[in-house]
Amino acid sequence: NRIKDHEKHKASLLSKIDILRARPNFGPVMPGVYSDWDLPPDVVREYLDEFYDLLDPIMEGVAKSLGFLTPEYLIRDYRMGITKIWFNQYEEGGEHDWHNHPGCQFTNCYYLELPDVEYATEVVGANGKLCKIHATEGDVMTCASWMKHRSKPNGPKRKTIIAWNSNYEV
C-alpha cells in the first residue's frame, strides 16, 4: 500500500516529529535510533493527528488484500484496531535487531523517509528465508506480526518510519 499524497504530507509530518525530538531529555532509545515508543501516553504527538487521517485507506487496503472486501464473500462488517503506534528515526549506523511483535496480528511500517531502498525492513518468511521487500519512500509495508524482521544498520542518510501494530476482527 502507499500513502496518498505522500510528498504533500512528508514535510509536515517530519516537522511535527522534530517537535518531539526537541523535548528535553529526548535521546536515542538505541544507538543512532530516536523514537517515541516509550514516551508516556499523555505526551502530545502532533504528527499522529495528521497521520491518523491517512490511515483509513491503508487499513482498508489491507482488509481488501485479506479478502474482507471481495465480491465472493462480501465481508464488510469488520473492525480494525491499532494497539500501538510510534515513529523511529535512524541516523547513520542506527539499527533495530531481529524481533517480532507479539499481542497483535500485523505490524505495519510507513516509510516516511527512505533515501535508499537498500535500508527497507528485512523480513524472514515462514520458510525461514529472507523476503525481498520492494518498498520505496511513501509505501506502507504490512506483515504478520509473528514474522521476524529488522532494520539493519542504516546508511549515511536518515531514515524515518511510522510503525503501528494492528488487528482485524470479522
Side-chain angles (χ1 to χ4, degrees), residues 117-118 123 130-134:
V117 296
E118 171 69 21
V123 179
L130 203 59
C131 301
K132 180 64 178 162
I133 306 297
H134 299 281

Side-chain angles (χ1 to χ4, degrees), residues 131-146:
C131 301
K132 180 64 178 162
I133 306 297
H134 299 281
T136 60
E137 186 175 285
D139 287 345
V140 173
M141 185 273 306
T142 299
C143 67
S145 62
W146 58 263

Side-chain angles (χ1 to χ4, degrees), residues 95-110:
E95 67 179 303
H96 192 172
D97 208 1
W98 294 107
H99 64 286
N100 65 4
H101 294 221
C104 59
Q105 295 169 332
F106 299 96
T107 188
N108 310 270
C109 173
Y110 166 43

